[in-house]
């Protein structure tokens, strides 16, 4: 089977409007969580979120496109364009000011990218646009609904519109597997390339769920934190009481390793394992055994041993049940070594970007391996006695050769990726 390299990363997150900016903020332990501005949250209990700040979609899309597309598609396009630039597959796409319509403008890309593929996951798709349309339809004097409502809000539109913008005519797939969707997209893209698919594959996740419907929906389910300040996301802390909803997108460029070397591409790292399991247990309650099986499956596919894992990027949403279950899963999978491996949580800074978190955390893991540092889990002031692993609370130097990134979701879906450093 072919080896799979990651050659490009693009992202928009609560920490920054590029992956570079987000990575620098993550190293500093910056919180991207702030009061909700997308709507009036004064009448509900949950008043903070991880929103993008100052994102300008017009750097990537025409005004006409912006008016027709849900924000989650806009975020996916932005992250994808930055990823292909980073991979050296297209030139200065995001630097172009789009004065032309989407029909007139087609980015200049090469034949290699054109023959490639796109796999992007999303949990909630175009829910913000759907909520706005429902509000509009309830008004007696309302104008008719947009003809773009249905196509622009579908889960698969992120992948298909990215393909349209970049002229990619190969494989296209939208994945909706709850919060594991972004990691699943990367894992499935990895398998596609391993099986012999020739072209590069863009893979990741995109979400724009910061709307009243989502925040109240997650809130009444008991999943959200009731803490209304920037410290609300507290993975593994004794006082944690739920996650903080966030938005964003992250896309990686995956290629056949030899093809990447041949064209002189930079290589962030190699994806060597992917575990995909389901708990078959409960709609919302996680099962440590199912999560542990995903970890073990991924490590087995990677062809390495548990002793070879140097770092764990935890799913760690800051929910009481979730963090406890993940701690137990790591203990099941790693045995006595579990308490020795450094563990961190990016969601302590970003909040939970749903599908985008799995992809973003994969990217952060790759950079941690590349630069030899581990970003901190912030807001962890008093460790829960039932969450007793080796959590990193300050930026730390570390020689990481192999690492895993965990992503779990409602329905008991589990996705784990294993990465190897390229020296």
């Amino acid at each position: 089977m072919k080896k799979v390299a990651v050659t490009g990363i693009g992202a928009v997150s609560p920490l920054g409007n590029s992956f570079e900016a987000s990575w620098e903020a993550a190293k500093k332990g910056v919180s991207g969580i702030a009061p909700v501005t997308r709507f009036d949250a004064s009448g509900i209990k949950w008043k903070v979120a991880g929103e993008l700040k100052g994102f300008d979609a017009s750097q990537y899309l025409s005004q006409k496109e912006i008016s027709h597309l849900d924000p989650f598609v806009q975020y996916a396009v932005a992250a994808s364009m930055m990823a292909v630039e980073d991979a050296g597959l297209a030139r200065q796409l995001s630097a172009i000011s789009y004065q032309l319509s989407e029909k007139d403008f087609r980015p200049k890309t090469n034949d290699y990218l054109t023959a490639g593929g796109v796999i992007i996951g999303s949990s909630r798709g175009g829910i913000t646009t759907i909520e706005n349309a429902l509000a509009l339809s309830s008004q007696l004097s309302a104008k008719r609904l947009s003809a773009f409502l249905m196509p622009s809000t579908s889960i698969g539109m992120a992948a298909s519109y990215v393909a349209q913008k970049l002229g990619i005519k190969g494989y296209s797939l939208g994945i909706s597997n709850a919060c594991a969707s972004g990691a699943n997209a990367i894992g499935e893209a990895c398998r596609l390339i391993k099986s012999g698919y020739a072209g590069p594959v863009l893979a990741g996740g995109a979400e724009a769920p910061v709307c009243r419907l989502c925040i109240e929906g997650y809130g009444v389910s008991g999943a959200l934190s009731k803490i209304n300040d920037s410290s609300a996301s507290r993975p593994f802390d004794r006082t944690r009481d739920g996650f903080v909803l966030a938005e964003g997108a992250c896309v990686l460029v995956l290629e056949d390793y030899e093809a990447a070397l041949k064209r002189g591409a930079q290589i962030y790292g190699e994806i060597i394992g992917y575990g995909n399991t389901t708990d078959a247990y409960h709609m919302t309650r996680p099962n440590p055994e199912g999560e542990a099986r995903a970890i073990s499956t991924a490590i087995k596919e990677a062809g390495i041993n548990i002793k070879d894992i140097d770092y764990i990027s935890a799913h760690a949403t800051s929910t009481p049940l979730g963090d406890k279950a993940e701690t137990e899963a790591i203990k099941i999978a790693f045995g006595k070594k579990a308490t020795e491996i450094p563990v961190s949580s990016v969601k302590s800074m970003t909040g939970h970007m749903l599908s985008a978190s799995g992809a973003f955390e994969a990217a952060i893991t790759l950079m941690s391996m590349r630069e030899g540092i581990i970003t901190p889990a912030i807001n962890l002031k008093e460790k829960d006695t039932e969450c007793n692993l080796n959590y990193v609370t300050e930026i730390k130097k570390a020689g990481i050769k192999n690492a895993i990134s965990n992503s779990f979701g409602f329905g008991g879906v589990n996705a784990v990726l294993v990465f190897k450093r390229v020296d």
Side-chain angles (χ1 to χ4, degrees), residues 305-340:
N305 192 278
I306 58 171
K307 66 180 177 59
D308 299 317
I309 299 298
D310 304 309
Y311 168 60
I312 299 171
S313 173
H315 179 61
T317 61
S318 186
T319 62
L321 285 177
D323 291 2
K324 179 184 175 182
E326 185 170 14
T327 298
E328 293 178 14
I330 291 170
K331 289 179 178 179
I332 293 170
F334 289 94
K336 294 180 180 179
K337 183 177 169 61
T339 56
E340 302 172 11

PDB file of all heavy atoms in Angstrom, residues 305-340:
ATOM      1  N   ASN A 305       3.634  -0.157  18.207  1.00  0.00           N
ATOM      2  CA  ASN A 305       3.205  -0.631  19.513  1.00  0.00           C
ATOM      3  C   ASN A 305       2.761   0.544  20.371  1.00  0.00           C
ATOM      4  O   ASN A 305       3.127   1.694  20.092  1.00  0.00           O
ATOM      5  CB  ASN A 305       4.378  -1.362  20.190  1.00  0.00           C
ATOM      6  CG  ASN A 305       3.950  -2.140  21.412  1.00  0.00           C
ATOM      7  OD1 ASN A 305       3.803  -1.582  22.496  1.00  0.00           O
ATOM      8  ND2 ASN A 305       3.759  -3.447  21.245  1.00  0.00           N
ATOM      9  N   ILE A 306       1.997   0.275  21.415  1.00  0.00           N
ATOM     10  CA  ILE A 306       1.554   1.362  22.295  1.00  0.00           C
ATOM     11  C   ILE A 306       2.735   2.114  22.902  1.00  0.00           C
ATOM     12  O   ILE A 306       2.633   3.320  23.173  1.00  0.00           O
ATOM     13  CB  ILE A 306       0.610   0.857  23.403  1.00  0.00           C
ATOM     14  CG1 ILE A 306       1.290  -0.231  24.246  1.00  0.00           C
ATOM     15  CG2 ILE A 306      -0.699   0.347  22.829  1.00  0.00           C
ATOM     16  CD1 ILE A 306       0.494  -0.607  25.494  1.00  0.00           C
ATOM     17  N   LYS A 307       3.846   1.437  23.086  1.00  0.00           N
ATOM     18  CA  LYS A 307       5.028   2.098  23.663  1.00  0.00           C
ATOM     19  C   LYS A 307       5.630   3.131  22.716  1.00  0.00           C
ATOM     20  O   LYS A 307       6.434   3.980  23.135  1.00  0.00           O
ATOM     21  CB  LYS A 307       6.085   1.063  24.046  1.00  0.00           C
ATOM     22  CG  LYS A 307       6.689   0.308  22.872  1.00  0.00           C
ATOM     23  CD  LYS A 307       7.733  -0.703  23.326  1.00  0.00           C
ATOM     24  CE  LYS A 307       8.294  -1.517  22.173  1.00  0.00           C
ATOM     25  NZ  LYS A 307       8.933  -0.704  21.133  1.00  0.00           N
ATOM     26  N   ASP A 308       5.232   3.077  21.440  1.00  0.00           N
ATOM     27  CA  ASP A 308       5.771   4.006  20.451  1.00  0.00           C
ATOM     28  C   ASP A 308       5.020   5.332  20.388  1.00  0.00           C
ATOM     29  O   ASP A 308       5.439   6.253  19.684  1.00  0.00           O
ATOM     30  CB  ASP A 308       5.755   3.354  19.064  1.00  0.00           C
ATOM     31  CG  ASP A 308       6.602   2.100  18.997  1.00  0.00           C
ATOM     32  OD1 ASP A 308       7.713   2.120  19.549  1.00  0.00           O
ATOM     33  OD2 ASP A 308       6.143   1.095  18.407  1.00  0.00           O
ATOM     34  N   ILE A 309       3.887   5.443  21.085  1.00  0.00           N
ATOM     35  CA  ILE A 309       3.097   6.672  21.058  1.00  0.00           C
ATOM     36  C   ILE A 309       3.665   7.663  22.070  1.00  0.00           C
ATOM     37  O   ILE A 309       3.770   7.384  23.261  1.00  0.00           O
ATOM     38  CB  ILE A 309       1.611   6.391  21.370  1.00  0.00           C
ATOM     39  CG1 ILE A 309       1.014   5.448  20.320  1.00  0.00           C
ATOM     40  CG2 ILE A 309       0.819   7.698  21.439  1.00  0.00           C
ATOM     41  CD1 ILE A 309       1.022   5.988  18.908  1.00  0.00           C
ATOM     42  N   ASP A 310       4.012   8.854  21.579  1.00  0.00           N
ATOM     43  CA  ASP A 310       4.661   9.868  22.402  1.00  0.00           C
ATOM     44  C   ASP A 310       3.745  11.001  22.835  1.00  0.00           C
ATOM     45  O   ASP A 310       4.130  11.822  23.677  1.00  0.00           O
ATOM     46  CB  ASP A 310       5.842  10.477  21.627  1.00  0.00           C
ATOM     47  CG  ASP A 310       6.836   9.433  21.177  1.00  0.00           C
ATOM     48  OD1 ASP A 310       7.260   8.624  22.019  1.00  0.00           O
ATOM     49  OD2 ASP A 310       7.166   9.415  19.973  1.00  0.00           O
ATOM     50  N   TYR A 311       2.551  11.075  22.247  1.00  0.00           N
ATOM     51  CA  TYR A 311       1.654  12.199  22.562  1.00  0.00           C
ATOM     52  C   TYR A 311       0.228  11.838  22.166  1.00  0.00           C
ATOM     53  O   TYR A 311      -0.001  11.164  21.161  1.00  0.00           O
ATOM     54  CB  TYR A 311       2.108  13.466  21.820  1.00  0.00           C
ATOM     55  CG  TYR A 311       1.105  14.598  21.839  1.00  0.00           C
ATOM     56  CD1 TYR A 311       0.675  15.146  23.043  1.00  0.00           C
ATOM     57  CD2 TYR A 311       0.590  15.124  20.657  1.00  0.00           C
ATOM     58  CE1 TYR A 311      -0.256  16.185  23.061  1.00  0.00           C
ATOM     59  CE2 TYR A 311      -0.321  16.163  20.665  1.00  0.00           C
ATOM     60  CZ  TYR A 311      -0.755  16.689  21.873  1.00  0.00           C
ATOM     61  OH  TYR A 311      -1.663  17.709  21.888  1.00  0.00           O
ATOM     62  N   ILE A 312      -0.736  12.304  22.959  1.00  0.00           N
ATOM     63  CA  ILE A 312      -2.155  12.108  22.662  1.00  0.00           C
ATOM     64  C   ILE A 312      -2.851  13.459  22.612  1.00  0.00           C
ATOM     65  O   ILE A 312      -2.868  14.203  23.604  1.00  0.00           O
ATOM     66  CB  ILE A 312      -2.853  11.225  23.727  1.00  0.00           C
ATOM     67  CG1 ILE A 312      -2.227   9.831  23.775  1.00  0.00           C
ATOM     68  CG2 ILE A 312      -4.351  11.128  23.439  1.00  0.00           C
ATOM     69  CD1 ILE A 312      -2.717   8.976  24.937  1.00  0.00           C
ATOM     70  N   SER A 313      -3.420  13.793  21.462  1.00  0.00           N
ATOM     71  CA  SER A 313      -4.304  14.949  21.345  1.00  0.00           C
ATOM     72  C   SER A 313      -5.705  14.448  21.670  1.00  0.00           C
ATOM     73  O   SER A 313      -6.311  13.719  20.886  1.00  0.00           O
ATOM     74  CB  SER A 313      -4.260  15.535  19.930  1.00  0.00           C
ATOM     75  OG  SER A 313      -5.233  16.557  19.794  1.00  0.00           O
ATOM     76  N   ALA A 314      -6.197  14.813  22.838  1.00  0.00           N
ATOM     77  CA  ALA A 314      -7.463  14.262  23.323  1.00  0.00           C
ATOM     78  C   ALA A 314      -8.669  14.947  22.688  1.00  0.00           C
ATOM     79  O   ALA A 314      -8.617  16.120  22.326  1.00  0.00           O
ATOM     80  CB  ALA A 314      -7.532  14.396  24.842  1.00  0.00           C
ATOM     81  N   HIS A 315      -9.759  14.195  22.594  1.00  0.00           N
ATOM     82  CA  HIS A 315     -11.037  14.776  22.148  1.00  0.00           C
ATOM     83  C   HIS A 315     -11.477  15.809  23.175  1.00  0.00           C
ATOM     84  O   HIS A 315     -11.826  16.931  22.825  1.00  0.00           O
ATOM     85  CB  HIS A 315     -12.069  13.663  22.008  1.00  0.00           C
ATOM     86  CG  HIS A 315     -13.420  14.140  21.580  1.00  0.00           C
ATOM     87  ND1 HIS A 315     -13.631  14.774  20.377  1.00  0.00           N
ATOM     88  CD2 HIS A 315     -14.634  14.071  22.196  1.00  0.00           C
ATOM     89  CE1 HIS A 315     -14.914  15.078  20.252  1.00  0.00           C
ATOM     90  NE2 HIS A 315     -15.546  14.676  21.351  1.00  0.00           N
ATOM     91  N   ALA A 316     -11.499  15.426  24.439  1.00  0.00           N
ATOM     92  CA  ALA A 316     -11.591  16.318  25.603  1.00  0.00           C
ATOM     93  C   ALA A 316     -12.482  17.536  25.417  1.00  0.00           C
ATOM     94  O   ALA A 316     -12.001  18.658  25.303  1.00  0.00           O
ATOM     95  CB  ALA A 316     -10.184  16.763  26.001  1.00  0.00           C
ATOM     96  N   THR A 317     -13.778  17.332  25.411  1.00  0.00           N
ATOM     97  CA  THR A 317     -14.710  18.430  25.159  1.00  0.00           C
ATOM     98  C   THR A 317     -15.015  19.274  26.379  1.00  0.00           C
ATOM     99  O   THR A 317     -15.594  20.338  26.265  1.00  0.00           O
ATOM    100  CB  THR A 317     -16.046  17.889  24.625  1.00  0.00           C
ATOM    101  OG1 THR A 317     -16.611  17.024  25.606  1.00  0.00           O
ATOM    102  CG2 THR A 317     -15.857  17.153  23.319  1.00  0.00           C
ATOM    103  N   SER A 318     -14.700  18.790  27.581  1.00  0.00           N
ATOM    104  CA  SER A 318     -14.991  19.460  28.844  1.00  0.00           C
ATOM    105  C   SER A 318     -16.349  19.055  29.423  1.00  0.00           C
ATOM    106  O   SER A 318     -16.854  19.716  30.316  1.00  0.00           O
ATOM    107  CB  SER A 318     -14.918  20.996  28.706  1.00  0.00           C
ATOM    108  OG  SER A 318     -15.074  21.642  29.945  1.00  0.00           O
ATOM    109  N   THR A 319     -16.921  17.965  28.936  1.00  0.00           N
ATOM    110  CA  THR A 319     -18.134  17.446  29.565  1.00  0.00           C
ATOM    111  C   THR A 319     -17.743  16.478  30.682  1.00  0.00           C
ATOM    112  O   THR A 319     -16.745  15.767  30.566  1.00  0.00           O
ATOM    113  CB  THR A 319     -19.049  16.711  28.563  1.00  0.00           C
ATOM    114  OG1 THR A 319     -18.353  15.570  28.036  1.00  0.00           O
ATOM    115  CG2 THR A 319     -19.466  17.627  27.429  1.00  0.00           C
ATOM    116  N   PRO A 320     -18.516  16.427  31.775  1.00  0.00           N
ATOM    117  CA  PRO A 320     -18.177  15.526  32.876  1.00  0.00           C
ATOM    118  C   PRO A 320     -18.059  14.062  32.448  1.00  0.00           C
ATOM    119  O   PRO A 320     -17.081  13.387  32.775  1.00  0.00           O
ATOM    120  CB  PRO A 320     -19.336  15.729  33.857  1.00  0.00           C
ATOM    121  CG  PRO A 320     -19.775  17.146  33.623  1.00  0.00           C
ATOM    122  CD  PRO A 320     -19.642  17.337  32.136  1.00  0.00           C
ATOM    123  N   LEU A 321     -19.036  13.581  31.669  1.00  0.00           N
ATOM    124  CA  LEU A 321     -19.006  12.183  31.231  1.00  0.00           C
ATOM    125  C   LEU A 321     -17.950  11.934  30.171  1.00  0.00           C
ATOM    126  O   LEU A 321     -17.240  10.924  30.208  1.00  0.00           O
ATOM    127  CB  LEU A 321     -20.382  11.772  30.688  1.00  0.00           C
ATOM    128  CG  LEU A 321     -21.487  11.513  31.703  1.00  0.00           C
ATOM    129  CD1 LEU A 321     -22.786  11.199  30.974  1.00  0.00           C
ATOM    130  CD2 LEU A 321     -21.120  10.366  32.634  1.00  0.00           C
ATOM    131  N   GLY A 322     -17.829  12.830  29.207  1.00  0.00           N
ATOM    132  CA  GLY A 322     -16.932  12.619  28.083  1.00  0.00           C
ATOM    133  C   GLY A 322     -15.475  12.540  28.466  1.00  0.00           C
ATOM    134  O   GLY A 322     -14.744  11.641  28.028  1.00  0.00           O
ATOM    135  N   ASP A 323     -15.019  13.476  29.296  1.00  0.00           N
ATOM    136  CA  ASP A 323     -13.604  13.485  29.683  1.00  0.00           C
ATOM    137  C   ASP A 323     -13.266  12.273  30.546  1.00  0.00           C
ATOM    138  O   ASP A 323     -12.171  11.701  30.440  1.00  0.00           O
ATOM    139  CB  ASP A 323     -13.272  14.768  30.432  1.00  0.00           C
ATOM    140  CG  ASP A 323     -13.312  15.999  29.543  1.00  0.00           C
ATOM    141  OD1 ASP A 323     -13.630  15.855  28.347  1.00  0.00           O
ATOM    142  OD2 ASP A 323     -13.033  17.101  30.041  1.00  0.00           O
ATOM    143  N   LYS A 324     -14.199  11.891  31.407  1.00  0.00           N
ATOM    144  CA  LYS A 324     -13.983  10.701  32.239  1.00  0.00           C
ATOM    145  C   LYS A 324     -13.896   9.451  31.368  1.00  0.00           C
ATOM    146  O   LYS A 324     -13.014   8.601  31.552  1.00  0.00           O
ATOM    147  CB  LYS A 324     -15.101  10.557  33.256  1.00  0.00           C
ATOM    148  CG  LYS A 324     -14.978   9.327  34.148  1.00  0.00           C
ATOM    149  CD  LYS A 324     -16.185   9.189  35.078  1.00  0.00           C
ATOM    150  CE  LYS A 324     -16.109   7.890  35.864  1.00  0.00           C
ATOM    151  NZ  LYS A 324     -17.300   7.702  36.732  1.00  0.00           N
ATOM    152  N   ALA A 325     -14.810   9.332  30.399  1.00  0.00           N
ATOM    153  CA  ALA A 325     -14.821   8.166  29.515  1.00  0.00           C
ATOM    154  C   ALA A 325     -13.550   8.093  28.682  1.00  0.00           C
ATOM    155  O   ALA A 325     -12.970   7.011  28.501  1.00  0.00           O
ATOM    156  CB  ALA A 325     -16.045   8.209  28.601  1.00  0.00           C
ATOM    157  N   GLU A 326     -13.078   9.233  28.186  1.00  0.00           N
ATOM    158  CA  GLU A 326     -11.857   9.226  27.381  1.00  0.00           C
ATOM    159  C   GLU A 326     -10.643   8.842  28.220  1.00  0.00           C
ATOM    160  O   GLU A 326      -9.756   8.114  27.753  1.00  0.00           O
ATOM    161  CB  GLU A 326     -11.628  10.588  26.726  1.00  0.00           C
ATOM    162  CG  GLU A 326     -10.429  10.595  25.782  1.00  0.00           C
ATOM    163  CD  GLU A 326     -10.324  11.847  24.941  1.00  0.00           C
ATOM    164  OE1 GLU A 326     -11.009  12.843  25.253  1.00  0.00           O
ATOM    165  OE2 GLU A 326      -9.553  11.828  23.957  1.00  0.00           O
ATOM    166  N   THR A 327     -10.611   9.320  29.451  1.00  0.00           N
ATOM    167  CA  THR A 327      -9.524   8.924  30.361  1.00  0.00           C
ATOM    168  C   THR A 327      -9.519   7.410  30.546  1.00  0.00           C
ATOM    169  O   THR A 327      -8.458   6.766  30.462  1.00  0.00           O
ATOM    170  CB  THR A 327      -9.694   9.618  31.730  1.00  0.00           C
ATOM    171  OG1 THR A 327      -9.615  11.036  31.561  1.00  0.00           O
ATOM    172  CG2 THR A 327      -8.620   9.171  32.708  1.00  0.00           C
ATOM    173  N   GLU A 328     -10.684   6.836  30.766  1.00  0.00           N
ATOM    174  CA  GLU A 328     -10.788   5.383  30.935  1.00  0.00           C
ATOM    175  C   GLU A 328     -10.379   4.655  29.660  1.00  0.00           C
ATOM    176  O   GLU A 328      -9.708   3.616  29.707  1.00  0.00           O
ATOM    177  CB  GLU A 328     -12.211   5.007  31.331  1.00  0.00           C
ATOM    178  CG  GLU A 328     -12.627   5.489  32.714  1.00  0.00           C
ATOM    179  CD  GLU A 328     -14.061   5.144  33.046  1.00  0.00           C
ATOM    180  OE1 GLU A 328     -14.660   4.309  32.334  1.00  0.00           O
ATOM    181  OE2 GLU A 328     -14.604   5.712  34.012  1.00  0.00           O
ATOM    182  N   ALA A 329     -10.782   5.199  28.515  1.00  0.00           N
ATOM    183  CA  ALA A 329     -10.437   4.578  27.234  1.00  0.00           C
ATOM    184  C   ALA A 329      -8.926   4.553  27.022  1.00  0.00           C
ATOM    185  O   ALA A 329      -8.370   3.549  26.545  1.00  0.00           O
ATOM    186  CB  ALA A 329     -11.113   5.330  26.092  1.00  0.00           C
ATOM    187  N   ILE A 330      -8.270   5.636  27.356  1.00  0.00           N
ATOM    188  CA  ILE A 330      -6.808   5.701  27.209  1.00  0.00           C
ATOM    189  C   ILE A 330      -6.145   4.684  28.133  1.00  0.00           C
ATOM    190  O   ILE A 330      -5.175   4.018  27.757  1.00  0.00           O
ATOM    191  CB  ILE A 330      -6.317   7.136  27.482  1.00  0.00           C
ATOM    192  CG1 ILE A 330      -6.775   8.068  26.344  1.00  0.00           C
ATOM    193  CG2 ILE A 330      -4.792   7.184  27.626  1.00  0.00           C
ATOM    194  CD1 ILE A 330      -6.555   9.549  26.612  1.00  0.00           C
ATOM    195  N   LYS A 331      -6.689   4.525  29.327  1.00  0.00           N
ATOM    196  CA  LYS A 331      -6.140   3.531  30.264  1.00  0.00           C
ATOM    197  C   LYS A 331      -6.337   2.112  29.742  1.00  0.00           C
ATOM    198  O   LYS A 331      -5.448   1.258  29.861  1.00  0.00           O
ATOM    199  CB  LYS A 331      -6.806   3.682  31.631  1.00  0.00           C
ATOM    200  CG  LYS A 331      -6.403   4.930  32.384  1.00  0.00           C
ATOM    201  CD  LYS A 331      -7.132   4.997  33.717  1.00  0.00           C
ATOM    202  CE  LYS A 331      -6.710   6.209  34.524  1.00  0.00           C
ATOM    203  NZ  LYS A 331      -7.429   6.298  35.814  1.00  0.00           N
ATOM    204  N   ILE A 332      -7.502   1.857  29.139  1.00  0.00           N
ATOM    205  CA  ILE A 332      -7.763   0.524  28.581  1.00  0.00           C
ATOM    206  C   ILE A 332      -6.794   0.239  27.440  1.00  0.00           C
ATOM    207  O   ILE A 332      -6.212  -0.842  27.342  1.00  0.00           O
ATOM    208  CB  ILE A 332      -9.219   0.415  28.085  1.00  0.00           C
ATOM    209  CG1 ILE A 332     -10.202   0.475  29.260  1.00  0.00           C
ATOM    210  CG2 ILE A 332      -9.431  -0.885  27.297  1.00  0.00           C
ATOM    211  CD1 ILE A 332     -11.653   0.625  28.837  1.00  0.00           C
ATOM    212  N   ALA A 333      -6.618   1.219  26.562  1.00  0.00           N
ATOM    213  CA  ALA A 333      -5.792   1.020  25.365  1.00  0.00           C
ATOM    214  C   ALA A 333      -4.303   0.949  25.676  1.00  0.00           C
ATOM    215  O   ALA A 333      -3.564   0.187  25.045  1.00  0.00           O
ATOM    216  CB  ALA A 333      -6.062   2.136  24.358  1.00  0.00           C
ATOM    217  N   PHE A 334      -3.841   1.736  26.648  1.00  0.00           N
ATOM    218  CA  PHE A 334      -2.400   1.852  26.894  1.00  0.00           C
ATOM    219  C   PHE A 334      -1.914   1.163  28.164  1.00  0.00           C
ATOM    220  O   PHE A 334      -0.708   1.067  28.385  1.00  0.00           O
ATOM    221  CB  PHE A 334      -1.991   3.326  26.928  1.00  0.00           C
ATOM    222  CG  PHE A 334      -2.038   4.002  25.590  1.00  0.00           C
ATOM    223  CD1 PHE A 334      -3.161   4.711  25.187  1.00  0.00           C
ATOM    224  CD2 PHE A 334      -0.972   3.906  24.714  1.00  0.00           C
ATOM    225  CE1 PHE A 334      -3.208   5.326  23.949  1.00  0.00           C
ATOM    226  CE2 PHE A 334      -1.001   4.525  23.475  1.00  0.00           C
ATOM    227  CZ  PHE A 334      -2.131   5.228  23.082  1.00  0.00           C
ATOM    228  N   GLY A 335      -2.838   0.700  28.992  1.00  0.00           N
ATOM    229  CA  GLY A 335      -2.428   0.011  30.204  1.00  0.00           C
ATOM    230  C   GLY A 335      -1.585   0.896  31.104  1.00  0.00           C
ATOM    231  O   GLY A 335      -1.876   2.080  31.303  1.00  0.00           O
ATOM    232  N   LYS A 336      -0.495   0.356  31.647  1.00  0.00           N
ATOM    233  CA  LYS A 336       0.358   1.075  32.596  1.00  0.00           C
ATOM    234  C   LYS A 336       1.017   2.306  31.973  1.00  0.00           C
ATOM    235  O   LYS A 336       1.357   3.263  32.671  1.00  0.00           O
ATOM    236  CB  LYS A 336       1.425   0.143  33.153  1.00  0.00           C
ATOM    237  CG  LYS A 336       0.872  -0.987  34.028  1.00  0.00           C
ATOM    238  CD  LYS A 336       1.993  -1.867  34.551  1.00  0.00           C
ATOM    239  CE  LYS A 336       1.438  -2.996  35.422  1.00  0.00           C
ATOM    240  NZ  LYS A 336       2.525  -3.883  35.936  1.00  0.00           N
ATOM    241  N   LYS A 337       1.184   2.283  30.654  1.00  0.00           N
ATOM    242  CA  LYS A 337       1.836   3.417  29.982  1.00  0.00           C
ATOM    243  C   LYS A 337       0.935   4.660  29.928  1.00  0.00           C
ATOM    244  O   LYS A 337       1.406   5.772  29.684  1.00  0.00           O
ATOM    245  CB  LYS A 337       2.244   3.009  28.562  1.00  0.00           C
ATOM    246  CG  LYS A 337       3.002   4.100  27.789  1.00  0.00           C
ATOM    247  CD  LYS A 337       3.445   3.630  26.420  1.00  0.00           C
ATOM    248  CE  LYS A 337       3.955   4.793  25.574  1.00  0.00           C
ATOM    249  NZ  LYS A 337       5.119   5.461  26.163  1.00  0.00           N
ATOM    250  N   ALA A 338      -0.364   4.477  30.165  1.00  0.00           N
ATOM    251  CA  ALA A 338      -1.334   5.564  30.011  1.00  0.00           C
ATOM    252  C   ALA A 338      -0.964   6.811  30.798  1.00  0.00           C
ATOM    253  O   ALA A 338      -1.118   7.937  30.308  1.00  0.00           O
ATOM    254  CB  ALA A 338      -2.726   5.078  30.423  1.00  0.00           C
ATOM    255  N   THR A 339      -0.470   6.640  32.006  1.00  0.00           N
ATOM    256  CA  THR A 339      -0.165   7.804  32.843  1.00  0.00           C
ATOM    257  C   THR A 339       1.158   8.476  32.490  1.00  0.00           C
ATOM    258  O   THR A 339       1.488   9.521  33.040  1.00  0.00           O
ATOM    259  CB  THR A 339      -0.136   7.395  34.328  1.00  0.00           C
ATOM    260  OG1 THR A 339       0.808   6.327  34.513  1.00  0.00           O
ATOM    261  CG2 THR A 339      -1.517   6.933  34.791  1.00  0.00           C
ATOM    262  N   GLU A 340       1.906   7.884  31.559  1.00  0.00           N
ATOM    263  CA  GLU A 340       3.199   8.453  31.172  1.00  0.00           C
ATOM    264  C   GLU A 340       3.102   9.344  29.936  1.00  0.00           C
ATOM    265  O   GLU A 340       3.929  10.245  29.745  1.00  0.00           O
ATOM    266  CB  GLU A 340       4.193   7.324  30.881  1.00  0.00           C
ATOM    267  CG  GLU A 340       4.431   6.367  32.044  1.00  0.00           C
ATOM    268  CD  GLU A 340       5.266   5.174  31.635  1.00  0.00           C
ATOM    269  OE1 GLU A 340       5.826   5.199  30.504  1.00  0.00           O
ATOM    270  OE2 GLU A 340       5.375   4.219  32.421  1.00  0.00           O
TER     271      GLU A 340
END
